[in-house]
């Protein structure tokens, strides 16, 4: 008996569903195999496998960028370079930081592709250093990294009260920020960010993606607005060749090195993505991409922002007098 049209259609639908199911199962198996391989690699290094890898490529790139946020770091600490070298220190310091920071990022990316562990530098040291020195060097490396992140945390958070109180002083010329005002706002942000990391971070992983795009959007809006709204532009000689020394030091070399604190800050916390490697999918490729993208986007945004600000500046005094 010949099959009816409805039977043929049913058979076709059944075959289609089977194909889709098989394809989905294959993709799932690939994902499971990739995760299993990463966990097996951690086990080989003597580490326990994480319970869940839930940070994708965009998430880890966004997180790495949010930690450095290069153009915002430049804007928040601009007065350092303005008083210690001026435009020369700012612009050429950013180029120097890009070269040196890029070299560090390339080195870390190469090692992270082989050893994608959350310990990062101290763990790599324990693996790669001579056996009789590995424990001591690893301890020193871990201690330096730990203390560095404490300093980074303070450096990141202090920007918030500086920005807020500077804005308050700008809107109300009669208001003069006191040191204790900055301290109280600083501690308030410390408490808020600590609470967020403890109670809400895992529930709001999407916030890193949002922060990444908001930061880049803010960069474009502020840069374009400042260039468009400034009535008088500085000449090329001022932007590219002017050296300013308001620091009190007589040596230009010391002044330049002191002013590098501002350009160097654009890559502070560059290794942040590494320390989440064990929560990241395809960590051996995602972490290197996060490092390189942070360095590249950071340089482009920070350098472009700085050039735009220098051409738009008409008076340095408000920058120098900000808290």
């Amino acid at each position: 008996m010949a099959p009816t049209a409805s039977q043929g259609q049913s058979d076709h639908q059944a075959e289609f569903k089977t194909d889709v199911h098989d394809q989905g199962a294959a993709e799932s198996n690939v994902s499971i195999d990739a995760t299993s391989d990463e966990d097996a690699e951690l086990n080989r290094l003597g580490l326990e496998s994480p319970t869940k890898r839930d940070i994708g490529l965009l998430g880890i790139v966004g997180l790495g960028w949010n930690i450095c946020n290069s153009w915002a770091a430049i804007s928040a600490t601009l007065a350092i370079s303005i008083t210690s070298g001026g435009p020369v220190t700012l612009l050429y310091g950013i180029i120097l930081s890009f070269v040196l920071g890029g070299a560090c990022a390339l080195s870390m990316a190469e090692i992270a592709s082989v050893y994608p562990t959350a310990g990062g530098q101290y763990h790599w040291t324990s693996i790669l250093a001579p056996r009789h020195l590995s424990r001591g060097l690893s301890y020193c490396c871990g201690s330096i990294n730990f203390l560095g992140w404490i300093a980074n945390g303070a450096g990141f958070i202090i920007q918030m009260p500086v920005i807020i109180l500077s804005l308050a002083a700008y809107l109300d010329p009669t208001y003069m920020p006191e040191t204790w005002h900055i301290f109280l706002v600083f501690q308030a942000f410390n408490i808020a960010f600590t609470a967020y990391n403890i109670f809400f971070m895992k529930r709001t992983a999407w916030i890193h993606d949002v922060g990444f795009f908001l930061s880049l959007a803010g960069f474009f809006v502020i840069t374009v607005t400042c260039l468009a709204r400034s009535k008088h532009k500085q000449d090329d000689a001022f932007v590219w060749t002017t050296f300013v020394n308001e620091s009190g030091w007589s040596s230009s070399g010391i002044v330049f090195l002191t002013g590098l604190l501002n350009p160097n800050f654009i890559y502070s916390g560059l290794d942040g993505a590494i320390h989440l490697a064990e929560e990241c999918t395809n960590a051996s490729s995602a972490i290197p991409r996060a490092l390189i993208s942070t360095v590249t986007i950071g340089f482009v945004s920070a350098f472009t922002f700085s050039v735009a600000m220098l051409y738009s500046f008409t008076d340095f005094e408000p920058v120098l007098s900000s808290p």
Side-chain angles (χ1 to χ4, degrees):
M1 182 177 179
T4 63
S6 59
Q7 288 176 329
Q9 184 177 4
S10 299
D11 292 341
H12 176 72
Q13 290 176 346
E15 291 175 0
F16 177 76
K17 290 179 180 178
T18 301
D19 292 341
V20 171
H21 179 270
D22 292 342
Q23 182 180 0
E27 292 176 352
S28 177
N29 288 335
V30 170
S31 177
I32 292 173
D33 290 342
T35 302
S36 299
D37 291 342
E38 291 175 329
D39 294 344
E41 180 64 18
L42 288 179
N43 292 332
R44 185 182 67 82
L45 296 174
L47 301 174
E48 294 184 2
S49 301
T51 56
K52 186 178 181 182
R53 292 181 180 268
D54 54 2
I55 302 178
L57 177 60
L58 178 60
I60 199 66
V61 169
L63 188 143
W65 166 257
N66 289 334
I67 292 174
C68 292
N69 215 340
S70 300
W71 75 271
I74 282 287
S75 66
T77 58
L78 193 60
I80 297 175
S81 284
I82 295 302
T83 58
S84 301
V88 167
T89 298
L90 179 61
L91 296 185
Y92 298 107
I94 291 176
I95 296 174
L96 180 61
S97 296
F98 171 65
V99 173
L100 299 179
C104 291
L106 287 172
S107 298
M108 291 191 294
E110 178 68 20
I111 302 175
S113 67
V114 181
Y115 304 113
T117 69
Q121 298 93 319
Y122 85 83
H123 198 182
W124 301 338
T125 303
S126 70
I127 296 172
L128 301 175
R131 183 178 295 275
H132 65 286
L133 297 175
S134 63
R135 296 187 67 179
L137 291 177
S138 177
Y139 181 84
C140 291
C141 186
S143 299
I144 293 172
N145 193 245
F146 171 72
L147 295 174
W149 272 102
I150 292 177
N152 276 343
F156 297 153
I157 297 176
I158 195 62
Q159 297 179 51
M160 306 305 295
V162 168
I163 293 172
I164 291 174
L165 296 181
S166 295
L167 181 60
Y170 174 78
L171 296 175
D172 182 6
T174 63
Y175 170 66
M176 292 295 294
E178 301 287 345
T179 304
W180 64 273
H181 296 171
I182 297 176
F183 177 76
L184 288 180
V185 178
F186 171 77
Q187 294 299 350
F189 275 103
N190 266 326
I191 294 171
F193 289 150
T194 300
Y196 169 78
N197 278 278
I198 294 174
F199 300 109
F200 302 109
M201 187 172 183
K202 279 295 185 181
R203 303 177 186 177
T204 57
W206 50 267
I207 202 168
H208 300 298
D209 301 342
V210 174
F212 176 62
F213 290 109
L214 283 180
S215 174
L216 292 181
F219 157 70
F220 283 111
V221 170
I222 293 175
T223 302
V224 172
T225 301
C226 288
L227 286 173
R229 295 289 295 173
S230 60
K231 297 179 180 179
H232 304 287
K233 301 293 191 298
Q234 297 286 355
D235 57 28
D236 293 339
F238 171 82
V239 173
W240 299 100
T241 63
T242 300
F243 189 86
V244 178
N245 182 7
E246 297 290 341
S247 65
W249 291 96
S250 59
S251 171
S252 297
I254 293 178
V255 172
F256 179 78
L257 292 175
T258 303
L260 285 180
L261 287 171
N262 178 218
N264 190 56
F265 196 45
I266 67 176
Y267 294 135
S268 185
L270 177 61
D271 61 323
I274 296 172
H275 302 299
L276 288 172
E278 293 171 24
E279 300 178 45
C280 180
T281 58
N282 299 315
S284 59
S285 61
I287 299 301
R289 291 179 181 178
L291 291 170
I292 301 305
S293 63
T294 298
V295 170
T296 304
I297 300 174
F299 169 73
V300 173
S301 62
F303 189 77
T304 303
F305 176 81
S306 299
V307 170
M309 292 303 103
L310 290 174
Y311 273 109
S312 301
F313 275 151
T314 56
D315 185 8
F316 279 160
E317 188 58 33
V319 177
L320 301 179
S321 61
S322 63

